[in-house]
Amino acid sequence: MNASLSVSTKAIFKSAYYIAKNDRLYSDHFGLSELEQLNGVGIGIGLHSRYSTVEITDHISKEIKSKIIRQILEVSGKMLVNIDESTSLGATSTLIVYMKCEVSKELPPYFLFLDLIELLDQKSEIVFEHLLNCLKKHGFHDDYLKEHLVAFASDGASVMLGKNSGVAKKLVTNYTNIVLWHCMNHRLELTLSDAVEKVSGVNNLKIFMDKLYTLSNNSPKNQHQLAECAAQLDQQVKKIGKVLSTRWVASSFRTVSVVWHNFASLYNHFPALKFDKSKSPTDRAMHSGLIRRLSLSRFLMGLPIMYDTLAEIALLSESLQNRNTTVAYADKLIRRVSFL
């Protein structure tokens, strides 16, 4: 009976691992269990639900992480700490902690997710304390970090890379041998933001997208009408909202691309709505302003230029996000785009 239980448990764990590794839905686990039964594999009567799959994958990931960390500590290779900030669905600021570490001269470095930390306070002292506690919790104590921590990477927020009291400054004070690195993609976004501020012709597209987002986001009826006009555009407006803001440039390109490919539908959509008596005077005036902006020669000439420019920068952005990209290769990509 114990042998039978062991075989069935192994089969269930392998199915859960397959789902996690291939980014499948947890609900697929029940279907895979039925398939294994049809193929004659004994999987027992338990652990078939998606809730069981969540627990199993969580258990497997913790075991794999613990094994890798033990291997890293034994090998004592050089390590890099990479942190990123995000916001949860509950609007809570979170800190995502990654680590890159070499385990062998023959093997590529491990890129390992360490922890997700909720931040009730975003002061640099608090963030620094949370980061150190996270590292120590996984076995990376002060003596180990002083010898093996060689780099720290993050975005350019003042909390992270502030010259006087940022997290990076505090790390350098404690671990003097580290190199500080500002995320290349974030640098690219800041460069693009500075360029947009100096090129006034871009404002036509930004204003159009901002008004379109406001119009559809504040009214379910307008949103439904926009969806009928161009379903793809409606999806992008709800998902992204604005262009050339703090979003990744690839997101801005997708939005501009959809406007470019649905230009005729948009142009035919707004004139009828500006005379719709069922709409408020404000909405009618906004529709009138949108069709007037679409008709501007500056908008018509600027849209294809923006499309071509963002297409190249988006390719660069996505290439820089590849975890296999090296500094030398990134420099080559940036120089190639700068010559276009």
Side-chain angles (χ1 to χ4, degrees), residues 53 102 138 142 155 217 224 258 293 308 322 335:
T53 313
E102 62 177 7
H138 290 90
D142 280 339
D155 61 22
N217 195 52
H224 179 68
V258 173
R293 189 166 294 279
D308 291 339
N322 189 325
R335 291 177 185 277

Side-chain angles (χ1 to χ4, degrees), residues 273-284:
L273 295 179
K274 71 177 182 179
F275 298 110
D276 188 349
K277 299 298 182 181
S278 65
K279 294 187 177 295
S280 66
T282 302
D283 279 359
R284 291 202 301 270

Side-chain angles (χ1 to χ4, degrees), residues 202 205 232 243-244 249-263 299-315:
V202 177
L205 180 62
Q232 190 182 10
V243 296
L244 304 176
V249 65
S251 300
S252 296
F253 170 66
R254 285 193 291 271
T255 304
V256 171
S257 174
V258 173
V259 173
W260 171 253
H261 291 294
N262 292 275
F263 184 85
F299 186 93
L300 294 173
M301 291 186 293
L303 183 59
I305 295 174
M306 285 296 298
Y307 178 89
D308 291 339
T309 303
L310 288 177
E312 292 295 332
I313 301 178
L315 285 174

Side-chain angles (χ1 to χ4, degrees), residues 215-232:
L215 187 68
S216 63
N217 195 52
N218 293 339
S219 169
K221 182 179 179 181
N222 290 336
Q223 196 173 84
H224 179 68
Q225 290 174 335
L226 182 63
E228 291 180 343
C229 161
Q232 190 182 10

